[in-house]
Amino acid sequence: MAARNEAKVKEGLKHLASGKKCLQTGFFKWKPDYESAAAAFKDAANCFKVARSHEDAKTAFIEAGKALDGAGSHFHAGKHYEQAAMMAKELKQGEDAARLFKTAALLFRESGSVDTAGIMMDRAGKILEPLNGSEALQMYVDAADLSEDSDKLRQATESLAKAVQLMVKYRKYARHLVLVTHLPKLSPVFQI
């Protein structure tokens, strides 16, 4: 098992070097090849993930995201940042995971997929609850805002309800009142 993991790490390092080489420019190569670099970084990340080298996988997913962002493929760059956030979650790095989830949401919004950003932020809130309650709370609120922007009122209401539950759990009553007054605007179910 350890030999297999070492082989995957070596394979991942080769893919990582290949990706970095694709980004280099020279006398005859004037532009970086972002697509090839992203593919190499993704392969490296998958090798590291199989080898359970989560820190290296997180770094490789971030590099793949940067390369795809440079190529103008914001949606796919967001997917890679989301994978990097999942690796940060495996490493129990709550703040880093939150930062990567926010970057992914921003890239989804830039690509025009606001509803995907909202769904991802809702999932991020659920993932971050055990690691960082305040970040999870903010994820739920952001998910509700994004869902409301894309006219997904039911989804926005569900995200806000999760945020309210989390606020009660952490006894943040002042902020709780602000959100509770916002709920009736979203759904007639909550009107008094």
Side-chain angles (χ1 to χ4, degrees), residues 4-18 40 43-48 50:
R4 181 174 179 247
N5 287 348
E6 277 185 39
K8 280 295 182 183
V9 168
K10 285 182 183 178
E11 184 182 346
L13 290 172
K14 286 180 185 175
H15 287 301
L16 207 57
S18 172
D43 291 342
N46 287 331
C47 288
F48 292 137
V50 167

Side-chain angles (χ1 to χ4, degrees), residues 30-152:
W30 295 359
K31 291 183 184 178
D33 185 5
Y34 290 117
E35 289 88 5
S36 298
F41 289 137
K42 180 184 173 197
D43 291 342
N46 287 331
C47 288
F48 292 137
K49 190 175 174 182
V50 167
R52 302 223 186 266
S53 177
H54 297 300
E55 187 66 42
D56 293 329
K58 180 181 84 168
T59 304
F61 276 126
I62 290 171
E63 290 298 321
K66 286 179 184 176
L68 285 169
D69 190 29
S73 180
H74 302 299
F75 183 84
H76 295 292
K79 285 291 187 187
H80 284 88
Y81 274 101
E82 187 178 0
Q83 285 294 315
M86 295 301 286
M87 293 296 106
K89 179 206 106 172
E90 291 293 324
L91 293 166
K92 307 249 187 286
Q93 298 172 345
E95 290 179 14
D96 201 24
R99 180 184 56 81
L100 291 166
F101 278 127
K102 287 176 185 175
T103 304
L106 180 68
L107 288 166
F108 287 140
R109 286 187 75 176
E110 284 181 15
S111 74
S113 300
V114 179
D115 55 338
T116 304
I119 292 168
M120 192 268 314
M121 292 295 269
D122 191 65
R123 266 187 290 150
K126 186 175 183 180
I127 289 167
L128 291 175
E129 272 186 43
L131 297 175
N132 191 337
S134 62
E135 285 291 345
L137 177 63
Q138 189 58 46
M139 293 289 172
Y140 284 135
V141 172
D142 291 345
D145 289 340
L146 290 169
S147 298
E148 187 178 3
D149 288 346
S150 62
D151 292 330
K152 305 273 186 185

